[in-house]
Every structure is written in structure tokens, then in C-alpha cells.
Amino acid sequence: MSEFEQKVLKLLENINGKLDKLLKTEPSPMNSAPTTTTASTPTPSTIKPSAIVEKQEEEARLEEKPQVEGRRICPECGGTTFATHEDRSQVLHQMGGVKIYAKKYVCKQCGYEY
Ligand SMILES: [Zn+2]
């Protein structure tokens, strides 16, 4: 198993753990509300579990990004070959007169930039 796959697995395990906690602390809407109150009276205080999962998955993706240097996958075409360009309009860091620029990744297959 590759290092990247292990990292992804770990993230998934973290999400699973959080979900388990949520399911234990939140009363199940299936048992407590047998009537059709979910559609007619939406309560803003209760967040749908699916929304939480989506948010956590998004956070996991954001955390993941910088770790997968050289293992990027194009969100547009799924390509794995990228050209890197320095984005000189964005200086990330400056140290002893040496500037570190933000990098742009351009998919070699479809030209998608990010
Ligand atoms: Zn692409």
C-alpha cells in the first residue's frame, strides 16, 4: 500500500470516528419523529448528518492537498500529469532576499489550472 493510500485511509477513519460520535450524541430522527415533520417544518438548529459529512469530506480534501505533492489528480479529467508554474503575483514567503512564489498546477491533458 502506498503512502498516499495510507494517508487517505487515515482520513477516512477519522471521518468515521467523527460520524460514530455524531450518531451517538444526536437523537435519531427516525425513532424520535415518526410523523412527517422533517419536510414541513425545517429546524435551522438541526444540521442534516449528510451536510456534516460533506463538510468534513471537504475539510479532509483541503487538508490533503498540500500533502500529495507529485500525486495530484486533475479534478476535470482525472489526469495525473501536471506542469508547475510559479505564480509571480503571489509571494508566499520571503527569506533573505529569496522569494518563494505560489505554484500553479496546469493539467497536461486538459489544461485545467489551479
Ligand atoms: Zn485535466
Side-chain angles (χ1 to χ4, degrees), residues 88-99:
R88 302 221 166 208
S89 62
Q90 262 187 286
V91 180
L92 282 185
H93 191 65
Q94 193 165 357
M95 196 171 58
V98 180
K99 285 177 181 172

Side-chain angles (χ1 to χ4, degrees), residues 14-24 49 52-53 56:
N14 282 344
I15 291 169
N16 258 338
K18 284 176 188 169
L19 268 179
D20 282 346
K21 271 189 204 164
L22 279 172
L23 290 172
K24 275 172 195 162
I52 295 167
V53 174
Q56 284 177 345

Side-chain angles (χ1 to χ4, degrees), residues 73-79 107 110-113:
I73 295 169
C74 176
E76 284 295 299
C77 71
C107 176
C110 72
Y112 183 84
E113 282 184 27

